Amino acid sequence: MRRRSLLIAVPAGLATLAACGDDKSDSGDAGDSASPSAPETSAAPPPKIVDGPLPAITEGAKFGEKPTVAKGSGDPSEDLAVKTVIAGGGKTIVENDYVVADYLGQVWSTAKVFDNSYDRGTPLAIQLAPGAIIDGWRYALTGKKTGSRVQMAVPPTWGYGEQGNAQAGIKGTDTLVFVVDVRDTFNARSSAKGGEVAQDNKDLPKVGTNTDGKAPSVDVPDTDPPAKLVSSYVLEGDGEEVGADSSVLVQYKGVLWDGGEEFDSTYARGQLTSFSLQQVVKGWAQGLTGKKVGSRVLIVIPPDLGYGDNPPQGSPIKKDSTLVFSVDLLAKL
């Protein structure tokens, strides 16, 4: 079973990163599993949150360990049952944040595990927003802190509704039990936090090193643009390296080499964006491959690795434009 798309690859506003003529599906191809992505409709009122009942975690009790969870005993609550099993001391999660988490999900009545990220070895990164994730996750995780393990029992009303999820073997009457280890959270004020790297080449743009969530400055020199791709650290993080087939969560700002005009920015929209590196212009894909999560990267894209003579309609990008980006690599999805 193919997992539903969790995050949209093409940024809102201008579709400036999408590879021309690319009809691939987005980053949801990453695994054959069910996920806590939202059902087709989600209009339930906010739930009452109670502290149980919840089945016991019998193995894997530490944060980050794959848990084993007992079958539910008796009838589950008709309300949303939530328990902080391990209290973290990190950032507080706010609705509409992106969370990075490991999780296991199973059916209350049978203890059948229908999905878990621990076996895949890759945490889930998803936005706690209506239409992006089931309501149970939104309400259960909002207000919790990173580093926390949260267990929840989600009735159908705040899960997959009366339609269930047939591909995952979830019936419309099933209450779902999740154990979620929240690793990190990001929002529109998030920035890379790596160490500063010298920007010594006077023929390349200089990018600001502020880490306050505001857009960095991008100062383009009054010289001819480079003929080849430039990809260099402004802030170097210590996270895992991004692969050529990775999907990433980023903040970015794009300006034209000619005149320095800004043409696209997540900062201006107030919303992070995510995409697969297989779905963007070659300059982005090549420029971010091998870079470390937590970094700010300067990318200068020549026309042959950008849009060449076919720029996006309605954008300030002209034919054969050289593009300059500051990219904060927040997470690898």
Side-chain angles (χ1 to χ4, degrees), residues 34-36 52-58 67-77 79-83 85 102-118 134 136-137 140 149-156 158-160 170-171 173-181:
S35 69
L54 286 162
I57 298 173
T58 57
T68 299
V69 183
K71 186 172 76 170
S73 177
D75 293 329
S77 174
D79 300 312
L80 177 63
V82 181
K83 179 182 180 181
V85 180
D102 280 309
Y103 70 97
L104 177 141
Q106 67 184 46
V107 177
W108 172 282
S109 60
T110 64
K112 176 189 174 184
V113 175
F114 55 83
D115 192 23
N116 86 89
S117 68
Y118 300 92
I134 60 172
W137 272 55
R149 167 168 282 192
V150 180
Q151 185 179 14
M152 65 185 88
V154 182
W158 297 282
Y160 291 99
I170 297 170
K171 301 190 295 292
T173 56
D174 283 336
T175 289
L176 309 179
V177 178
F178 291 97
V179 176
V180 183
D181 289 334

Side-chain angles (χ1 to χ4, degrees), residues 8-18 252 264 266 269 272-275 280:
I8 303 301
V10 180
L14 298 174
T16 50
L17 302 182
Y252 73 88
D264 197 9
T266 57
R269 291 195 297 275
L272 303 179
T273 195
S274 65
F275 47 80
V280 292

Side-chain angles (χ1 to χ4, degrees), residues 231-250:
S231 175
S232 58
Y233 285 119
V234 177
L235 303 172
E236 184 173 358
D238 58 3
E240 63 179 317
E241 291 186 356
V242 172
D245 59 350
S246 295
S247 294
V248 292
L249 177 68
V250 300

Side-chain angles (χ1 to χ4, degrees), residues 91-305:
K91 296 175 285 186
T92 300
I93 300 167
V94 178
E95 186 170 0
N96 293 316
D97 279 3
Y98 285 82
V99 294
V100 179
D102 280 309
Y103 70 97
L104 177 141
Q106 67 184 46
V107 177
W108 172 282
S109 60
T110 64
K112 176 189 174 184
V113 175
F114 55 83
D115 192 23
N116 86 89
S117 68
Y118 300 92
D119 288 347
R120 290 195 294 274
T122 303
L124 173 71
I126 194 166
Q127 189 178 20
L128 295 184
I133 194 168
I134 60 172
D135 287 336
W137 272 55
R138 287 201 297 125
Y139 291 114
L141 295 183
T142 295
K144 299 295 190 279
K145 294 183 181 292
T146 58
S148 295
R149 167 168 282 192
V150 180
Q151 185 179 14
M152 65 185 88
V154 182
T157 301
W158 297 282
Y160 291 99
E162 294 179 356
Q163 73 272 24
N165 185 325
Q167 288 183 310
I170 297 170
K171 301 190 295 292
T173 56
D174 283 336
T175 289
L176 309 179
V177 178
F178 291 97
V179 176
V180 183
D181 289 334
V182 184
R183 293 189 179 192
D184 213 338
T185 184
F186 301 97
N187 56 38
R189 298 177 301 281
S190 296
S191 291
K193 299 294 184 181
E196 290 189 25
V197 176
Q199 301 180 70
D200 296 331
N201 191 333
K202 62 181 179 58
D203 294 325
L204 291 179
K206 298 296 187 293
V207 178
T209 57
N210 58 297
T211 58
D212 55 1
K214 296 180 181 178
S217 58
V218 180
D219 298 320
V220 181
D222 188 18
T223 60
D224 291 335
K228 295 183 178 181
L229 177 73
V230 173
S231 175
S232 58
Y233 285 119
V234 177
L235 303 172
E236 184 173 358
D238 58 3
E240 63 179 317
E241 291 186 356
V242 172
D245 59 350
S246 295
S247 294
V248 292
L249 177 68
V250 300
Q251 285 267 39
Y252 73 88
K253 175 180 175 178
V255 305
L256 300 173
W257 183 285
D258 186 10
E261 178 185 359
E262 180 180 308
F263 60 85
D264 197 9
S265 170
T266 57
Y267 303 95
R269 291 195 297 275
Q271 185 176 9
L272 303 179
T273 195
S274 65
F275 47 80
S276 166
L277 293 188
Q278 295 180 318
Q279 294 179 265
V280 292
V281 294
K282 292 180 179 179
W284 264 74
Q286 295 177 18
L288 292 182
T289 298
K291 292 297 188 284
K292 291 182 246 182
V293 170
S295 300
R296 177 170 297 164
V297 182
L298 165 69
I299 306 177
V300 181
I301 303 178
D304 63 314
L305 296 178

